[in-house]
Amino acid sequence: MSSMKKTTVNVLTGFLGVGKTTALRHLIAQRPQHEKWAIIVNEFGEIGIDGAVLDNGELPVAEIAGGCLCCVAGPQMTVTVANLLRRERPDRLIIEASGLAHAAGLIDELRAEPLGNALQVGAVMTLVDPRQFANNDYFRQPLYRDQVMIADVLLATKCDLADAPTLAAYRDKAAALFPPKSLIAEISDGAADPAWLDAAVQNKSRYRPAVRPGDASGWQSQGWTFAPDAEFSGEALTDLFDSLSQRVDGLVRAKGVFRVLDTWLWLNWTEGQWAANQVAWRRDSRFEVIGSRIDADALEAAIQACVLPAGSGNGA
């Protein structure tokens, strides 16, 4: 274990044209004086324009042009990041991912060796245009959903261009996202607060999810998070979800994201049925239930029993 302090890395992502560079310039301008930052910009295109805009001579800015971080530029990214860390030893590295980058794949790479030895993955900040966010056609695009799912901090930009019903729809939809976000905010002119980069990446292992007002007629809720490297048995989860209505009195809703083999599955129980879908989430496995009476300890034991023993390639 190296005793060198790890550099915190924040990924800034969002759809094309949502204002990532403007927000990044604002973050840089408000940077705490005692923190040393470095920036990597990934422009989808041959000539990197963002880098030129951001480079004020004070901060080291590296560019990866001509492709998105997680595919074309994968090996190039590792080299670029490693060189920048060695040369600058920054306290914080911010990667502005191109609007086309698959954030989940990028985070996997930042976590894996060799970069994971030097980096601590901090909050992922995803910028959305509330007009797009409120529109289900965008949500049907896996790329858009990936960027929203992976976020710890969700920021609506261009709020001056959205009407009140659109902003209300953004707030409702954002508040209902699962896993829940650490921070949901709205900004104008890119005015993102650098303190948001330190938003929580992972909740405590047991938490109480919010029950919508109006749903609170004597219902209870309970949620759990598991370490990112915890792997679950797909068969055991299937059995658990099949038997949930016997395990939870008055079960209304159950949902979870689980790491199964090398994929991540979203399991959703509602109105007596459940279904599974593959998702881009890469943070940690989570499980939430709402019902009239929950024996949290018994349910926790049941879900823990679905976790595969450590050592299947992950180390003990």
Side-chain angles (χ1 to χ4, degrees):
M1 184 76 191
S2 125
S3 58
M4 222 174 86
K5 189 173 160 294
K6 287 191 174 189
T7 295
T8 300
V9 57
N10 296 98
V11 174
L12 181 67
T13 183
F15 229 47
L16 293 162
V18 80
K20 293 187 295 294
T21 304
T22 309
L24 185 51
R25 288 175 75 178
H26 193 92
L27 288 168
I28 290 169
Q30 305 295 318
R31 169 181 64 93
Q33 284 307 297
H34 63 280
E35 268 192 24
K36 184 173 182 184
W37 286 13
I39 312 290
I40 290 180
V41 181
N42 170 225
E43 261 296 297
F44 195 83
E46 291 309 317
I47 36 176
I49 295 161
D50 286 3
V53 171
L54 291 165
D55 196 348
N56 58 3
E58 282 181 45
L59 291 185
V61 176
E63 273 191 281
I64 302 173
C68 87
L69 280 171
C70 53
C71 31
V72 184
Q76 190 194 343
M77 185 199 72
T78 304
V79 171
T80 304
V81 172
N83 287 342
L84 194 61
L85 293 176
R86 198 164 38 242
R87 197 172 61 238
E88 303 292 341
R89 308 242 158 155
D91 299 310
R92 187 183 302 278
L93 170 64
I94 299 180
I95 299 179
E96 181 195 333
S98 108
L100 299 171
H102 257 92
L106 171 57
I107 283 165
D108 281 350
E109 203 159 326
L110 295 169
R111 276 224 174 104
E113 291 183 12
L115 295 180
N117 300 328
L119 293 174
Q120 175 70 42
V121 176
V124 173
M125 196 177 266
T126 298
L127 273 51
V128 293
D129 181 327
R131 297 165 301 175
Q132 294 174 350
F133 189 81
N135 175 346
N136 281 324
D137 290 341
Y138 275 87
F139 258 79
R140 286 190 193 100
Q141 300 185 32
L143 193 65
Y144 191 83
R145 224 173 32 243
D146 281 3
Q147 291 177 346
V148 171
M149 283 290 283
I150 207 81
D152 298 297
V153 175
L154 189 71
L155 298 183
T157 62
K158 305 188 173 181
C159 292
D160 45 331
L161 302 178
D163 57 19
T166 304
L167 284 174
Y170 159 74
R171 288 174 199 140
D172 287 351
K173 200 166 178 179
L177 287 170
F178 179 84
K181 303 300 171 205
S182 296
L183 183 88
I184 296 167
E186 293 154 34
I187 58 174
S188 295
D189 305 320
D193 183 339
W196 295 344
L197 295 169
D198 292 321
V201 170
Q202 201 177 315
N203 285 337
K204 295 187 289 294
S205 63
R206 206 190 244 200
Y207 61 97
R208 292 240 182 275
V211 176
R212 285 200 306 269
D215 281 359
S217 48
W219 286 352
Q220 299 178 343
S221 62
Q222 186 67 60
W224 293 268
T225 56
F226 303 85
D229 57 0
E231 291 201 50
F232 286 76
S233 153
E235 284 170 31
L237 285 173
T238 299
D239 292 344
L240 177 67
F241 268 68
D242 281 343
S243 67
L244 268 181
S245 50
Q246 284 95 66
R247 293 174 182 275
V248 177
D249 293 346
L251 179 64
V252 179
R253 189 76 203 276
K255 50 189 175 169
V257 277
F258 302 97
R259 180 178 174 168
V260 177
L261 295 174
D262 279 332
T263 63
W264 291 71
L265 295 180
W266 155 283
L267 273 55
N268 200 350
W269 189 105
T270 182
E271 294 173 351
Q273 300 176 359
W274 67 274
N277 290 292
Q278 221 171 313
V279 290
W281 179 255
R282 291 288 186 282
R283 284 314 180 88
D284 47 29
S285 295
R286 296 187 172 205
F287 177 54
E288 287 188 357
V289 289
I290 298 174
S292 54
R293 201 182 66 81
I294 299 167
D295 182 338
D297 293 335
L299 196 53
E300 181 165 342
I303 191 78
Q304 287 286 3
C306 299
V307 180
L308 292 169
S312 44
N314 291 330

